[in-house]
Amino acid sequence: MEAKPFTFRSANGTTPLTLSSNFILPKDRRPLLSEVLTSASIPIIDMSEQEQSSGDDGRAHGEPSPLVQKISQACEEFGFFQIINHGVPRDLCRKMMTAVAQFFQLPPEERAQLFSEDPTKPVKILNYNLKIEGQEKVSMWSESFSHPWDPVDDFAHLLPTNPPLYKEVVGEYAKEIGALVSRLLRLLSRGLGLEEDCLQKRVGERPRLRAQANMYPPCPDPEQTLGLAVHTDLNALTVLLQSEGVSGLQVIKDGKWVAVDPVPNAFVINLGDQIQVLSNGRYKSVHHRAVTNKKMERMSLAMFYGPNKDTIIGPIEDLVDEEHPPLYRSYHFAQYLDEFFKQMGTRRMVKEVFELRHQGLCGS
Ligand code: OGA
Ligand code: NI
C-alpha cells in the first residue's frame, strides 16, 4: 500500500498557517471551544488511601472504603477520573513520554513506513478520520501509533528498533500498568458490591491489550478541526498518560464539554463500553474527544485493557434483578468488534446495538 504523507506537517517540519480542506469539519461537527466548561472538572482521586477496611477504623468489616466509594461515584457520574499517588514511578512515566516524543520525531519517511489502514495489523501508525455524509472523509489532526502491550515477550520483537528508548521503556511501563489495572478492577468490583476478582475474571484471562500513543501537532485553526473525534472507548478500562502542561482531552458531562486538564504525575482513567455492559449500565463509558491548540504539540499514551474476541460480555448476574433488568444482551466480544469496525469513522453507537428494550423503560 502506498504510504500516506502526514499532511499536517510541511516538508520543513513546521506547521502550515492554514488548514488544508481535508481537515476541515462541517460546521455542525466543530468543537465550539468557547462553550467548553472550565469551572467543572473530573474527580482527582488519591490512590495512596487505604483500600481495605481494617475493622479498626470505625467501619464494619466489608463495608466499602472511602477510596472504593470515591471511585465508584466517579464511575457512576463521570466514567472518568484522574488518579494521583498511584505507585507507578514518576521517572518511568517521564521516560515513557520522552520515548513517545522521540518516536514522533522520527523522520516522516520512517514513520510513513509504519503507516497502515489495515485494522488487523498489530503494529502501525494510523491517522483517524471521520466519514461525513455526502462529502470526503475528514482527517483528524493527529497521528497515532498503535501496538500490543503485554506480555512483553510476545510483542517486543514487533516494535520498531528506532528510537531505541521506546522498546527499552515500554516493557517496564506495561508491567506497572498491568498491576495498576488489576488494582483498579479490584476497586471497581468492590464498588459494584462484587467479589474483588469479579471484573478481571469477566474480562478474561487473556485480555486484549493495546497501547496507543497519540500526537497532536500545533494546529493553525483549532476551531475547525479535532485531534480525535467524539468517541467512547471500545475496551474495558483505559489508563492515559498525557503530556504535562498541554490541555486537549474533553469529556461530556450533563451535555456539556468539560476539559480534563493535566495534573502532574497523574493518570486519567476512563471506562470503556465493556464495563458499562458488565455493570449493567451502572458504570459509564462516556463520550470524549481531543481538541487541538495553536501553540503546543500535545502527546498522550493510552493503555487499553479489554476482553479478547472469544470472551462473552454481558451484564453480571449479581447486578441484575427485578428492579434492574438486564440492559444488554450477552455477546462475544468478536461480535462487538465486527460492529465496531462497521461503524468506524462515524459517531459510533456500538454498545447500543446490544441494548435490550424493556417495557416501561423505553425512552428512559
Ligand atoms: C484515545 C483517547 C485522548 C487523548 O486514545 O482513545 O481518547 O487525550 N485519547 O489523547
Ligand atoms: Ni478514547
Side-chain angles (χ1 to χ4, degrees):
M1 192 203 310
E2 196 191 321
K4 190 175 179 253
F6 300 103
T7 34
F8 41 64
R9 279 214 177 140
S10 59
N12 66 6
T14 57
T15 304
L17 291 174
T18 55
L19 277 189
S20 57
S21 61
N22 58 317
F23 291 103
I24 298 180
L25 288 162
K27 283 215 168 68
D28 61 341
R29 308 293 285 269
R30 293 182 191 170
L32 291 171
L33 297 174
S34 60
E35 291 181 11
V36 174
L37 294 187
T38 46
S39 52
S41 89
I42 63 168
I44 297 169
I45 296 177
D46 185 342
M47 294 283 283
S48 64
E49 272 184 35
Q50 272 238 321
E51 209 166 292
Q52 200 99 39
S53 163
S54 57
D56 56 9
D57 58 358
R59 278 180 290 121
H61 220 71
E63 194 184 319
S65 67
L67 179 59
V68 168
Q69 288 176 16
K70 273 183 219 161
I71 290 181
S72 188
Q73 195 179 352
C75 292
E76 286 177 355
E77 288 178 14
F78 290 85
F80 264 83
F81 51 99
Q82 303 209 56
I83 54 172
I84 52 171
N85 299 322
H86 42 64
V88 182
R90 179 174 213 150
D91 252 17
L92 182 59
C93 295
R94 288 225 177 101
K95 255 202 250 168
M96 192 65 243
M97 262 342 239
T98 305
V100 168
Q102 286 181 3
F103 176 84
F104 285 115
Q105 280 156 14
L106 291 177
E109 317 82 72
E110 212 171 321
R111 301 206 312 282
Q113 282 176 12
L114 281 166
F115 181 83
S116 173
E117 286 177 322
D118 175 0
T120 63
K121 207 167 174 235
V123 177
K124 59 179 174 280
I125 290 183
L126 59 159
N127 177 215
Y128 285 102
N129 53 54
L130 205 59
K131 288 181 198 145
I132 311 269
E133 217 165 299
Q135 82 169 68
E136 295 270 299
K137 287 181 194 167
V138 176
S139 293
M140 297 293 100
W141 192 263
S142 61
E143 195 180 308
S144 300
F145 174 44
S146 165
H147 63 81
W149 63 264
D150 199 56
V152 67
D153 293 340
D154 292 357
F155 78 88
H157 65 284
L158 299 170
L159 292 179
T161 44
N162 217 7
L165 186 63
Y166 200 94
K167 219 171 159 158
E168 263 167 53
V169 173
V170 73
E172 196 186 338
Y173 185 72
K175 231 183 265 164
E176 292 281 347
I177 298 302
L180 177 64
V181 167
S182 296
R183 182 172 177 215
L184 286 164
L185 288 175
R186 285 199 302 273
L187 292 162
L188 260 57
S189 298
R190 284 221 199 103
L192 290 165
L194 303 165
E195 294 290 323
E196 68 170 16
D197 59 355
C198 183
L199 283 175
Q200 194 150 18
K201 272 196 183 149
R202 291 297 180 126
V203 177
E205 272 170 19
R206 286 182 308 106
R208 178 180 189 270
L209 304 172
R210 305 276 320 161
Q212 181 170 303
N214 303 300
M215 193 268 292
Y216 308 94
C219 176
D221 194 349
E223 293 282 354
Q224 294 199 66
T225 192
L226 280 167
L228 273 190
V230 181
H231 69 282
T232 61
D233 288 359
L234 69 89
N235 56 340
L237 190 81
T238 304
V239 177
L240 184 93
L241 180 63
Q242 39 177 352
S243 37
E244 274 178 34
V246 194
S247 198
L249 173 61
Q250 299 180 346
V251 306
I252 289 250
K253 171 73 175 136
D254 302 330
K256 300 228 159 64
W257 286 103
V258 175
V260 181
D261 292 331
V263 168
N265 203 25
F267 290 114
V268 177
I269 308 296
N270 68 289
L271 307 182
D273 285 359
Q274 309 317 311
I275 293 282
Q276 176 158 335
V277 173
L278 286 164
S279 71
N280 200 26
R282 241 180 84 185
Y283 286 174
K284 302 289 187 299
S285 170
V286 170
H287 279 100
H288 53 286
R289 67 184 185 186
V291 301
T292 61
N293 77 84
K294 277 191 176 174
K295 296 216 170 95
M296 311 244 270
E297 182 170 85
R298 175 172 178 267
M299 275 164 292
S300 67
L301 176 61
M303 302 290 271
F304 300 125
Y305 184 99
N308 71 37
K309 288 188 177 173
D310 303 326
T311 308
I312 295 174
I313 298 290
I316 292 171
E317 303 75 44
D318 287 355
L319 303 176
V320 173
D321 56 30
E322 222 158 277
E323 250 176 83
H324 307 93
L327 298 181
Y328 302 93
R329 64 184 167 87
S330 298
Y331 51 82
H332 277 104
F333 186 63
Q335 291 171 281
Y336 177 98
L337 273 187
D338 283 350
E339 190 57 41
F340 177 88
F341 286 118
K342 234 191 267 169
Q343 296 188 27
M344 190 96 180
T346 66
R347 184 169 169 141
R348 302 186 306 249
M349 303 285 271
V350 185
K351 61 182 169 307
E352 287 74 4
V353 170
F354 302 95
E355 264 175 17
L356 293 169
R357 300 265 164 206
H358 292 278
Q359 250 179 345
L361 281 176
C362 284
S364 67

